[in-house]
Amino acid sequence: MALSRLLDTCDETMRVWVWHNGNHEETLDIVRSLSTHPRFYRLEHSPENKCLREPTNWFWENSDAPFVSKVDDDCSLPNGWAQTLLQCHKINPILGAIGCWRFYDEDFVPELANKKICNLNGGHELMKNSWVQGSGYVLRRECIDNFGPIAEGESYTSFCIRTALGGWQNGWYFPFIHEEHMDDPRSQFCEIKTDEKFMENRPLSAINDNVTTLAQWAERVKYMAFLVQEANPDPRYHSGWRKKIKGVKSYAQRALGIESKWRSAK
């Protein structure tokens, strides 16, 4: 569903590169059945389950497009998403990575977000941030040329912060373009209905944060929306000594057994 939807939202100026992990034949059959779509450009099959860094860098290094994007296989986007982001990029050369919004209307906190929303050329608006999530974004090629690929041990978030420190403006297009994240328990497409099924299929972030129930996962997702609206848009706040202080504080809280903020968020 995610791949067919992605292909159908792309126009004749766009090419879809597909990276597939593993050897699940039914999934491979579906992918190959869609390979005749006019927007399907190339399939890379990795029998091993690679982390996100390697497929992203492979795509960035092989593509020569002036703008690149990545859409995860658990996400679905609306018609016009890429065209809107590309139009915004082309008349606002300060933009680095701008993205769609994977949360819901109920997650919007105006008193936080409005402080970060700015006007751009062409009547566009952006909620500024030092990073966006690694799906449903459009990134300017110059950022890769200037800062290289995602480094060993680095996340896409950290890469975005590096570009922001270099003077590029990142953030979420506003009014938000909704990216349906099918791992969100609130999504109509979420197939995980029980705590037992959740424990069998926990995302890595859920494992790292010791999330053990669907209710906890839903609260964590909502808190992530709060966190990115609250986040300081100045990239210096997320690097150097400020980042180290936040890291030490977080480690100390875990060591002392202090409850994560998302668990007590209302």
Side-chain angles (χ1 to χ4, degrees):
M1 183 173 67
L3 180 54
S4 60
R5 179 63 183 162
L6 172 62
L7 291 166
D8 288 344
T9 63
C10 293
D11 61 28
E12 66 279 358
T13 68
M14 301 167 68
R15 300 180 298 191
V16 176
W17 305 54
V18 179
W19 176 289
H20 177 75
N21 278 332
N23 285 311
H24 189 258
E25 285 302 323
E26 288 183 72
T27 305
L28 278 168
D29 287 344
I30 292 172
V31 172
R32 288 169 179 148
S33 73
L34 293 168
S35 64
T36 57
H37 193 287
R39 305 296 167 249
F40 195 115
Y41 180 70
R42 179 173 168 181
L43 169 63
E44 181 75 6
H45 177 209
S46 171
E48 298 178 30
N49 190 5
K50 302 288 187 179
C51 67
L52 292 177
R53 173 180 168 272
E54 187 167 337
T56 302
N57 284 344
W58 164 81
F59 167 56
W60 287 1
E61 290 164 4
N62 284 280
S63 169
D64 61 358
F67 299 95
V68 295
S69 177
K70 181 169 76 69
V71 177
D72 291 342
D73 60 3
D74 57 2
C75 294
S76 177
L77 291 158
N79 290 329
W81 70 276
Q83 293 80 1
T84 298
L85 296 184
L86 281 167
Q87 181 189 48
C88 183
H89 258 300
K90 289 176 180 179
I91 58 177
N92 291 280
I94 64 167
L95 298 177
I98 59 175
C100 301
W101 182 250
R102 60 167 48 180
F103 305 105
Y104 292 93
D105 291 345
E106 66 189 69
D107 302 322
F108 182 57
V109 185
E111 58 267 30
L112 295 176
N114 288 341
K115 300 174 185 177
K116 300 170 61 172
I117 295 172
C118 66
N119 295 321
L120 299 172
N121 295 333
H124 297 284
E125 293 180 274
L126 190 77
M127 188 179 83
K128 298 184 292 183
N129 202 52
S130 295
W131 69 90
V132 293
Q133 76 272 357
S135 175
Y137 65 81
V138 173
L139 171 69
R140 192 179 298 271
R141 164 67 59 183
E142 290 174 67
C143 293
I144 303 169
D145 294 340
N146 292 346
F147 298 95
I150 300 174
E152 185 75 36
E154 184 180 46
S155 65
Y156 176 71
T157 296
S158 297
F159 170 84
C160 285
I161 293 171
R162 278 202 289 130
T163 66
L165 286 167
W168 296 97
Q169 180 62 67
N170 304 323
W172 284 274
Y173 188 88
F174 191 84
F176 296 133
I177 301 171
H178 178 63
E179 177 183 46
E180 186 73 15
H181 187 211
M182 293 179 275
D183 271 353
D184 190 320
R186 297 171 294 174
S187 172
Q188 62 176 313
F189 304 109
C190 183
E191 296 184 346
I192 301 175
K193 305 297 184 183
T194 67
D195 290 343
E196 291 75 19
K197 185 81 175 287
F198 175 72
M199 288 298 290
E200 293 172 4
N201 300 275
R202 282 193 300 171
L204 181 60
S205 55
I207 295 172
N208 290 340
D209 276 0
N210 194 30
V211 182
T212 58
T213 70
L214 274 174
Q216 289 177 351
W217 181 241
E219 286 301 317
R220 186 189 183 279
V221 172
K222 292 171 68 175
Y223 181 65
M224 291 302 103
F226 172 84
L227 201 61
V228 295
Q229 292 173 89
E230 181 189 47
N232 193 317
D234 186 342
R236 293 173 298 179
Y237 186 80
H238 309 287
S239 60
W241 62 268
R242 294 178 179 88
K243 181 180 178 181
K244 290 179 180 178
I245 288 176
K246 288 195 295 181
V248 169
K249 182 179 179 181
S250 177
Y251 175 81
Q253 288 177 334
R254 291 195 302 269
L256 294 170
I258 298 175
E259 191 176 57
S260 299
K261 285 184 179 180
W262 63 266
R263 289 183 181 271
S264 57
K266 301 298 182 182

